[in-house]
Structure formats: structure tokens, C-alpha cells
Amino acid sequence: MGHIKNYVKGVQDMKIKIYYGGRGLLDDPTLYVITRMENVLRELRVDVERFNIYEHKNEIATLPQTFKDADGIILAITVEWLGIGGYMQQFLDACWLYGDKNKIATTYMQPIVMSTTYGEREGEMTLCNAWEILGGSPCPGLCGYVDDLAMFKMNEDYNLIIEKKAESLYRTISQKVKNLPTSNQAVKQTVLRTQSLSLTPQESEQLSKYVSDDTYVKKQKEDIEELASMYKDLLGHREEKNIEPYKNDLLARFRPQGSLKVAYSFIIEGFKKPLYVGISGANIEVYYGENESVDVVIKIRQEMFDDILAGRLTFQRAFMTGSITAKGNFKILRLLDEIFLSEQLV
């Protein structure tokens, strides 16, 4: 690789970081390509660091913070069937949500996309478009289709192309090559905006750490569930208060029918629990809750119950007209009008 010696050694401490979005398979051609590029860059005395995103899947939200000291990055993926894949997409989402846009604007990106089926050119374009919308500068990338990895590795022409791309990235960064403005950048400036939270880069970094912290997220979910439970309890108490008037009204209108022993369950539309009414001779028990030992189950609307208790309607008439439905012993159902006198007769 004597051609490398022809480069000007004017750049000191250049740092390039590689973000690999594949699955880490041994026969992944992208791994071979970026390993080859790493060797070239290190020979050029570049500080190279690789991040396998699949190894950081629980902390993807914090990965954009690793751009801080990078002069350039490489986004590398393998198109296995369609698109750039889940890990890389999540990483780009994190860049949009939590990345330091000022830092991204000064960071060069080279896309490396290899395909084992189809779509390497579309994948390269996707990465370039994403980086431009984020505000960064994409460099000429490398894309190709690999059918047989062993044959690909043995092809010296292919290896030379890979090395030239690594040198191209080095040259672009060292010479601070400028790009012409693109419509993607215009879209970012005029249309696309993340939700305005007015966060500093430091605050964005802290937020991304919280997002990727499983313990913190779990605690937040537990707190939300606790609040939801509390509000449900409050609503439950409110429902209890709504049912209380029916309970008091039934107790006031109760007229014992000898030694009659019967139990009713009123399912009132809009209430969470049924209203249980148990009668044993001169004793009556009324409460809202489940009870399997009932003789009749009655489904009734709240306004219909109001009409019956006010004397504007009887249980028998409401049942005959289909205003209420019931199942169980219908003979016992007809006794309701005798057991509970209407308001007009009390």
C-alpha cells in the first residue's frame, strides 16, 4: 500500500468513528469492507473506533453523543432484503431526537452499503439523505452487491476500490471539502423541525441517557401506573357516590313481603359494579358489588331507574316494553313493584 505515502501528513489526531448497523454475521460483506478500511485509515495514523450498534441496542439513544470528538464518521449497513434495517434506523432516529445538531453540521459522513440481495444504491441514498437532513455533510460512499464473499475478498480490484474510498474520506476531512447546498438542507431549515424543547446539547445528552436507562424508564412506567391507579380509585369513589342515592332510595321504599327471601342484581348502564339487593323477610341488604347468589339479573339504564323510583314507570311495564332486560325467575321479577313502592305512594 505504498500509494498511501503520497498523502500530505498535515492532519494530526484525526478521529473517525464507524457505526455498523448490521447483525454481526460472520459472512457479512460489510464487516469485511469496514475492517479493510480500518486498516487503511490506521496506516494513515487516523484514530479509528468502531461501534457495533447491535451491541448497544439498549443504549442507542446515547450513541449520537459519541460524535463529540469525531472529525468524520462511517455509517455501514448490509441490505439483506429491504431497506437499511432496524438498528441503523433507530440510530438515525436518535440522531434526530437527541443528537447535537451543531456538532453534526461539522461532521463528515461516508456511507458504506453492501447488499446480498438488492437495494444497495437505495440504501446509500437513504443514509446520505438522512445525514443531509440532520445538517451534516455526506462524502462519496461505497456500495456494492456481494454474491460470494470468498470470491469478493480474493478480487484485488475490489480491494483497491475499498482502499481508495478510505483514502477519499481521509482527503475530504483533511482538506475540509465543501459541498454544494442541497434541497434536503433547505427542507430541514424551512419545514422539518423536531419538537421545540429549547434544550442545550448538554441537556439533550442527559435526556438521551435517561431514555436509554432501562431502570429509569421502568421506574417512570411504574410511577405512571401508580398515578393511573390512583385516578381510577378516585373515579371509583365518584361512582360509589353516584350509586348511593339508588341505595338510599331503595331502602326508603322497601316494604317487606312476609317471609319472602330473594336476591336481585341491577346492572346499571354507566356504572362499574352492579347494585345488589338481598331481601330476607323484613331484612334488606343493598350494596354495589358482585354476588353470584342472585335470583334475577336486571339490566337497566340510569334514566329508566330514575323514572321507576319517581313513580313515572313500573318495573313490570318497563320489562314488558323492553326498556329493561332481565334473566332469572320472572315471577320474582314481578314482585319488585310490590317490594319497592314508588315515590308517589310512599
Side-chain angles (χ1 to χ4, degrees), residues 18-37 74-85 88 110-127 140-153 155 157-163 165:
I18 301 174
Y19 298 87
Y20 167 67
R23 294 188 294 151
L25 303 178
L26 291 177
D27 59 348
D28 189 338
T30 302
L31 286 176
Y32 172 74
V33 172
I34 59 179
T35 299
R36 190 94 184 184
M37 295 184 71
I74 293 174
L75 299 183
I77 59 165
T78 301
V79 177
E80 295 185 79
W81 75 284
L82 179 68
I84 63 175
M88 183 58 72
Q110 185 178 60
I112 303 297
V113 182
M114 307 306 292
S115 170
T116 57
T117 52
Y118 169 81
E120 67 280 359
R121 293 187 183 278
E122 290 80 358
E124 180 186 12
M125 185 178 296
T126 297
L127 295 181
L142 175 67
C143 68
Y145 167 73
V146 178
D147 181 35
D148 187 328
L149 181 58
M151 296 296 294
F152 182 81
K153 290 180 179 180
N155 193 307
D157 292 333
Y158 294 163
N159 290 326
L160 183 59
I161 292 173
I162 295 171
E163 292 173 4
K165 284 297 179 180

Side-chain angles (χ1 to χ4, degrees), residues 219-256:
K219 182 64 170 61
Q220 292 299 302
K221 289 182 178 179
E222 290 174 353
D223 290 344
I224 292 172
E225 289 176 358
E226 184 177 348
L227 285 172
S229 177
M230 182 181 70
Y231 282 117
K232 285 180 181 178
D233 290 341
L234 290 175
L235 291 173
H237 291 318
R238 189 173 298 173
E239 288 181 356
E240 290 175 16
K241 293 180 180 178
N242 287 338
I243 294 177
E244 193 69 28
Y246 293 117
K247 175 181 175 181
N248 294 335
D249 287 342
L250 291 174
L251 290 174
R253 290 163 174 71
F254 174 59
R255 294 296 182 269

Side-chain angles (χ1 to χ4, degrees), residues 245-274:
Y246 293 117
K247 175 181 175 181
N248 294 335
D249 287 342
L250 291 174
L251 290 174
R253 290 163 174 71
F254 174 59
R255 294 296 182 269
Q257 303 294 312
S259 60
L260 177 67
K261 186 174 182 180
V262 65
Y264 300 92
S265 179
F266 292 90
I267 300 175
I268 305 172
E269 185 177 312
F271 292 109
K272 187 176 181 180
K273 297 180 180 179

